[in-house]
């Protein structure tokens, strides 16, 4: 648990997280021959969870040749989980944890594993678990956690350029997360996280498929969640939040909804400005937002506003000339 806190805290410390998780592995190994079955099973489960945590620590850390190391830890955890399920009657759901961690690692360390294969394993595994589960609370937890794992699959597959599978698993992620959210107490950043999921799917339609109509369908779900101010715990992501809204505005503009496009672009620009002021966003990032607003205002007949934003864009990105088109 200490390792997880170090890995997931606001100032991620991969080295200390690995140290804590490695010590958990060593302690757990001393109990593998324990005659008390419950304690032995707990030790093996802890050992597996610590191994997949190490894989994630390495994936998201700054290490050389980390792909091979991540692959080694995940392979060992998967083999041990299969053995523990067979020999010590651990829950088959333990394998779902391995697959979910593998997909998270695939985002942090592209090339460490093949995300499509692990996403398929996770999907099959959770479908089997749900068939055997009559506890409604457990069912929702399994769906929610598997949905987050498939969200990672979407991101990893997108990075590989596998758009069709990214969309496939992204849509499944939405279905599972929606089913799992029922009755769940929301975390402060859940709205933003789910909004980003809807946006990622819409963005794939907009950019890769050139299908702004489908994109807007997804952005209609994303925008109400992403327009909300972020909690302070996620303030470092405010710049990306703003860039996301600006990007969505392009598809609304392409579909003829100019008022909505302008509104999202303005809100996104304000979030980006706040991020620049706090030091979490490079000021040059403002060039795209300002130039898009300049184009929109000019097209809608407000020349004064257009000139103002052209000037701001030129100051933000002096080396880039504005060509009168919207940019992502």
């Amino acid at each position: 648990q200490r390792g997880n806190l170090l890995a997931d805290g606001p100032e991620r410390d991969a080295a200390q997280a690995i140290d804590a998780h490695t010590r958990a592995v060593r302690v757990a190994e001393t109990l593998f021959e324990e005659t008390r079955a419950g304690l032995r099973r707990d030790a093996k489960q802890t050992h597996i969870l610590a191994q997949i945590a190490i894989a994630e620590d390495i994936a998201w850390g700054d290490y050389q040749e980390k792909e091979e190391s991540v692959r080694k830890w995940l392979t060992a955890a998967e083999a041990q989980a299969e053995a523990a399920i067979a020999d010590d009657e651990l829950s088959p759901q333990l394998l779902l944890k391995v697959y979910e961690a593998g997909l998270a690692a695939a985002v942090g360390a592209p090339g460490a594993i093949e995300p499509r294969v692990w996403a398929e394993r996770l999907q099959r595994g959770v479908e089997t678990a749900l068939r055997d589960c009559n506890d409604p609370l457990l069912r929702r937890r399994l769906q929610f956690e598997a949905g987050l794992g498939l969200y990672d699959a979407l991101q990893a597959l997108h990075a590989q350029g596998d758009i069709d599978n990214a969309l496939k698993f992204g849509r499944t992620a939405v279905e599972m997360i929606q089913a799992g959210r029922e009755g769940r107490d929301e975390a402060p950043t859940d709205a933003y996280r789910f909004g980003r999921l809807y946006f990622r799917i819409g963005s794939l339609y907009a950019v890769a498929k050139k299908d702004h109509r489908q994109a807007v369908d997804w952005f209609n779900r994303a925008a109400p969640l992403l327009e909300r101010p972020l909690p302070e715990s996620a303030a470092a992501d405010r710049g990306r939040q703003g860039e996301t809204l600006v990007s969505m505005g392009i598809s609304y503009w392409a579909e003829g909804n100019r008022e909505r496009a302008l509104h999202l672009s303005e809100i996104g620009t304000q979030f980006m400005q706040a991020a620049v002021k706090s030091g979490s966003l490079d000021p040059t990032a403002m060039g795209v937002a300002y130039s898009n607003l300049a184009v929109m205002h000019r097209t809608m007949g407000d020349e004064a506003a257009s000139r103002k934003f052209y000037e701001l864009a030129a100051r933000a990105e002096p080396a880039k000339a504005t060509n009168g088109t919207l940019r992502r």
Side-chain angles (χ1 to χ4, degrees):
Q1 288 177 340
R2 181 174 186 272
N4 291 345
L5 291 171
L6 289 163
D8 297 335
E11 297 181 5
R12 184 189 298 268
D13 191 328
Q16 286 200 55
I18 289 174
D19 177 69
H21 287 138
T22 302
R23 282 188 283 143
V25 166
R26 289 199 296 264
V27 171
E29 285 173 346
T30 66
L31 298 169
F32 278 9
E33 303 303 321
E34 171 63 46
T35 57
R36 288 169 290 181
L39 184 55
R40 184 176 66 251
R41 284 195 290 265
D42 285 347
K44 290 191 175 183
Q45 177 164 305
T46 298
H47 192 267
I48 293 162
L49 295 177
Q51 286 184 100
I52 61 177
I54 292 170
E56 289 192 63
D57 295 339
I58 296 170
W60 288 95
D62 185 16
Y63 300 101
Q64 294 182 342
E65 300 179 356
K66 63 181 182 180
E67 290 80 7
E68 181 58 34
S69 185
V70 168
R71 195 177 302 117
K72 180 194 75 174
W73 283 103
L74 288 172
T75 301
E78 183 181 22
Q80 188 184 349
E82 289 172 344
I85 291 166
D87 300 338
D88 281 278
E89 299 181 351
L90 266 71
S91 170
Q93 295 164 16
L94 187 58
L95 272 172
L96 301 183
K97 296 289 187 186
V98 178
Y99 302 149
E100 289 159 6
L103 290 166
V107 180
I113 65 168
E114 172 48 60
R116 181 182 60 79
V117 173
W118 283 61
E120 289 172 349
R121 293 177 185 175
L122 175 57
Q123 188 170 354
R124 287 195 302 268
V126 75
E127 288 171 355
T128 299
L130 291 172
R131 282 198 301 268
D132 298 336
C133 179
N134 296 317
D135 182 339
L137 291 177
L138 178 56
R139 286 180 63 85
R140 290 201 291 270
R141 180 173 67 80
L142 291 171
Q143 289 169 313
F144 187 82
E145 293 176 355
L148 295 180
L150 293 176
Y151 181 8
D152 287 330
L154 177 156
Q155 297 178 77
L157 288 161
H158 182 195
Q160 285 188 346
D162 188 348
I163 305 304
D164 289 337
N165 276 310
L167 286 170
K168 169 188 168 183
F169 289 114
R171 289 189 293 263
T172 304
V174 169
E175 293 171 4
M176 289 194 174
I177 288 173
Q178 287 178 332
R181 286 178 69 186
E182 183 181 345
R184 180 177 180 271
D185 289 338
E186 298 279 290
T189 56
D190 274 356
Y192 175 66
R193 178 164 54 169
F194 303 142
R196 284 286 303 173
L197 169 57
Y198 302 146
F199 165 74
R200 291 295 291 263
I201 297 174
S203 182
L204 288 174
Y205 279 111
V207 178
K209 300 289 190 181
K210 309 299 182 187
D211 186 342
H212 290 291
R213 184 186 63 78
Q214 284 267 34
V216 165
D217 285 345
W218 285 97
F219 293 161
N220 284 336
R221 304 167 76 172
L225 302 176
L226 295 173
E227 290 175 284
R228 306 178 190 178
L230 283 176
E232 284 305 310
S233 60
D237 225 32
R238 196 166 285 140
R240 185 169 71 161
Q241 178 190 21
E243 290 174 316
T244 298
L245 292 167
V246 169
S247 178
M248 286 195 294
I250 296 171
S251 288
Y252 281 97
W253 188 264
E255 286 295 291
N257 192 342
R258 293 180 173 181
E259 290 76 14
R260 185 61 169 154
L262 180 62
H263 176 70
L264 291 173
S265 299
E266 288 174 337
I267 294 177
T269 299
Q270 291 168 12
F271 286 149
M272 292 172 68
Q273 289 170 331
V276 169
K277 186 175 180 181
S278 69
S280 62
L281 183 68
D282 190 316
T284 60
M286 297 302 307
V288 170
Y290 289 146
S291 64
N292 284 3
L293 284 172
V295 171
M296 290 178 182
H297 280 293
R298 187 186 65 186
T299 305
M300 297 175 77
D302 191 339
E303 289 294 337
S306 179
R307 282 195 301 272
K308 180 186 77 171
F309 284 113
Y310 274 130
E311 291 169 3
L312 289 171
R315 288 202 292 269
E317 294 180 296
K320 290 191 176 182
T322 302
N323 61 9
T325 61
L326 299 181
R327 294 192 289 148
R328 291 191 186 275

